[in-house]
Amino acid sequence: MLLHLKSSSSREMEKQEERGRKLLLVPCPFQGHINPMLQLASVLHSKGFSITIAHTQFDPPNPSAHPAFDFISIPDTFLEQQTSPENMIDLVLLLNAKCQEPFKKFLAQMINRQDPSHPQFACIIYDEVMYFSPAIANHFKLPSIMFRTSSATTFLVRAVIPKLHLQGCLPLPDSILQDPVPEHYPLRFKDLPVVKFGSEEQILRLMANLFNTERSSAIIFNTMDCLEQSSLAMIQHQKQLPIFRIGPMHKLAPNSTSSLLEEDTSCIAWLDKQAQNSVIYISLGSIASMDSKEVEEMAWGLANSKQPFLWVIRSSQKIASEWIESFTKDFKNSVGERGCIVRWAPQKKVLAHDAVGGFWTHCGWNSTLESICEGVPMICRPCYGDQNVTARYVSQVWKVGWQYENELKRGVIEKIVQRLMVEEEGKEMRKRARDLKHMVEASIDKDGPSRNSLNEFVEFITSS
Ligand code: UDP
């Protein structure tokens, strides 16, 4: 009898242990969100966890790129629209509404199975944007952990927006745009992540949902103290939750690939032929775009700068794409082999290439981290939301780039590209970028703060 009791309790312990190693991750189906979530999944898998990814039918990740993970598709979550800044809020609200019930049913099935070969999950790690998750996790008494894929500073300053609404200051009046935001130096009101699209009611509803961490047990940030120490300290002070800063995620999981578009690797052979630090790389990430006038100014600014350039113009950037296809003979003659245009680049490889000496970026958080990690200085051209905050930090706090603020004009583009790529000021900027790269690298050293935070996180989920 004693023997029997002992073996059933040890079986129970094994089950418990197995459960403690099984994680359910809920990514948001946008490129800039899927990448860090799948990187986090790889990092946790390397720590011995088994990973299940619950994804939408809209822009799903590619399971064959991650044979070690289980993938489950949340039913009825296919959306027909393409992602654009204009419909972002609609999409996020719709996704959350669509996911809620099917996700709940799925979890109920898993839990009702009571099958030891399908142990329950230790916790759910959800992208902050998939805010339907914590209530459902809570319903099944599972802990949920928020993963914030963008900067800690944007997370912090978003709190200013509902206050501005209460004061009747939204939309922001022109008279205050250049003023500093109290307690958030060096941000100006114009840098706040105010989304211009969607109704005020929708924006505030979204903000309220994103802020709500009441049901979460912890927050993970893809960042580092060396970049955002004071913002992280303020968040820690405001939120009574464990905060883990585990970044840069793409360096902790260097082999993770989760591109939704096919990468055109031919640009690497083209880069191989260029001189060291001579190429300016231009990309606006997966959603932002330029209008036809801006593309034309950009094209001629680059041509006149006489610098080699690698430019990503996605096929979903319809206007830009059409303009490029109808490039004039003059432009083609002027650029010759000096320019390379692709639909989608292997960006991390591009930024790590010796030939790349500058990055014209929209300052998406992943692009910014990827640039910092390779010591590539930036020209910041933010388009919306958190990109404005990041651009301000790149130019004013870390001082590894300049922000281009006014209307795009070919003459100004030509000058700013030359300033970064060939002039003395650009060389100094590149030196600062190298120094920052070394600081960031130190975070993921064996005893670096990001590694330590990762180990603390592993301890946190296995012991809670
Ligand atoms: N990216 C890429 N190839 C490209 C352009 C972008 O692989 O041609 C990747 C880039 O490396 C980054 C992600 O797409 O990981 C974009 O995320 P980010 O946060 O920079 O911007 P978003 O697309 O969310 O605006």
Side-chain angles (χ1 to χ4, degrees), residues 31-32 35 263 281 283 285-287 312 344-345 347 362 364-367 370 387:
Q31 186 73 75
N35 288 0
E263 294 172 344
Y281 169 59
S283 162
S286 60
I287 300 170
V312 177
W344 191 248
Q347 180 163 302
H362 70 309
W365 186 241
N366 296 287
S367 295
E370 287 159 12
Q387 299 156 14

Side-chain angles (χ1 to χ4, degrees), residues 132-408:
F132 67 91
S133 312
I136 293 170
N138 200 49
H139 178 82
F140 293 108
K141 302 198 170 33
L142 286 172
S144 61
I145 294 170
M146 176 190 275
F147 179 33
R148 163 83 182 152
T149 60
S150 187
S151 73
T153 306
T154 317
F155 182 89
L156 183 72
V157 300
R158 269 193 325 216
V160 176
I161 295 166
K163 289 184 194 150
L164 287 169
H165 169 71
L166 287 177
Q167 292 161 7
C169 291
L170 284 184
L172 292 167
D174 288 352
S175 58
I176 66 165
L177 289 180
Q178 298 292 342
D179 294 350
V181 181
E183 294 173 39
H184 293 291
Y185 175 84
L187 298 180
R188 305 158 295 183
F189 281 97
K190 66 182 287 195
D191 302 316
L192 287 176
V194 178
V195 188
K196 290 183 224 119
F197 313 103
S199 70
E200 210 162 286
E201 183 271 327
Q202 280 181 317
I203 294 169
L204 292 168
R205 186 147 54 98
L206 180 63
M207 291 284 167
N209 280 312
L210 296 179
F211 279 140
N212 191 351
T213 49
E214 264 168 38
R215 289 192 162 121
S216 310
S217 326
I219 313 178
I220 308 169
F221 284 93
N222 180 15
T223 192
M224 294 131 276
D225 272 325
C226 67
L227 293 184
E228 301 193 276
Q229 188 168 26
S230 70
S231 298
L232 284 162
M234 281 161 94
I235 295 169
Q236 185 70 80
H237 181 73
Q238 283 175 9
K239 302 268 174 197
Q240 302 301 311
L241 285 175
I243 304 272
F244 299 95
R245 47 277 254 168
I246 309 175
M249 207 60 88
H250 72 282
K251 285 287 175 186
L252 289 162
N255 299 324
S256 173
T257 53
S258 45
S259 205
L260 295 171
L261 298 172
E262 197 184 332
E263 294 172 344
D264 182 344
T265 50
S266 65
C267 57
I268 300 294
W270 178 85
L271 283 173
D272 288 343
K273 291 188 220 136
Q274 313 303 321
Q276 192 178 19
N277 290 334
S278 67
V279 175
I280 174 107
Y281 169 59
I282 304 110
S283 162
L284 301 184
S286 60
I287 300 170
S289 57
M290 292 178 182
D291 63 29
S292 58
K293 178 84 187 99
E294 288 176 323
V295 180
E296 190 171 348
E297 291 304 306
M298 188 75 198
W300 281 108
L302 290 170
N304 299 340
S305 77
K306 306 283 181 240
Q307 285 304 122
F309 63 88
L310 168 58
W311 190 0
V312 177
I313 301 185
R314 303 182 316 273
S315 32
S316 60
Q317 287 176 270
K318 282 240 159 12
I319 298 170
S321 207
E322 279 163 20
W323 195 88
I324 291 297
E325 265 150 34
S326 63
F327 262 159
T328 60
K329 215 165 140 201
D330 280 355
F331 178 79
K332 284 183 188 149
N333 287 343
S334 161
V335 168
E337 294 297 301
R338 199 160 45 75
C340 176
I341 296 177
V342 293
R343 297 293 189 196
W344 191 248
Q347 180 163 302
K348 284 179 281 172
K349 284 197 189 119
V350 165
L351 287 167
H353 198 288
D354 263 5
V356 173
F359 185 12
W360 179 294
T361 172
H362 70 309
C363 284
W365 186 241
N366 296 287
S367 295
T368 306
L369 287 181
E370 287 159 12
S371 199
I372 288 175
C373 286
E374 302 307 334
V376 177
M378 289 166 258
I379 297 173
C380 307
R381 181 72 180 171
C383 298
Y384 65 93
D386 64 336
Q387 299 156 14
N388 295 304
V389 175
T390 307
R392 192 74 178 154
Y393 265 62
V394 169
S395 60
Q396 303 296 312
V397 179
W398 310 316
K399 299 187 192 313
V400 291
W402 291 302
Q403 184 168 349
Y404 186 138
E405 298 212 53
N406 299 319
E407 197 186 334
L408 285 185

Side-chain angles (χ1 to χ4, degrees), residues 25 36-46 49 51 53 69:
L25 273 58
M37 182 61 98
L38 286 172
Q39 288 153 6
L40 174 65
S42 296
V43 172
L44 293 172
H45 186 259
S46 73
F49 291 94
I51 303 290
I53 307 279
F69 305 163

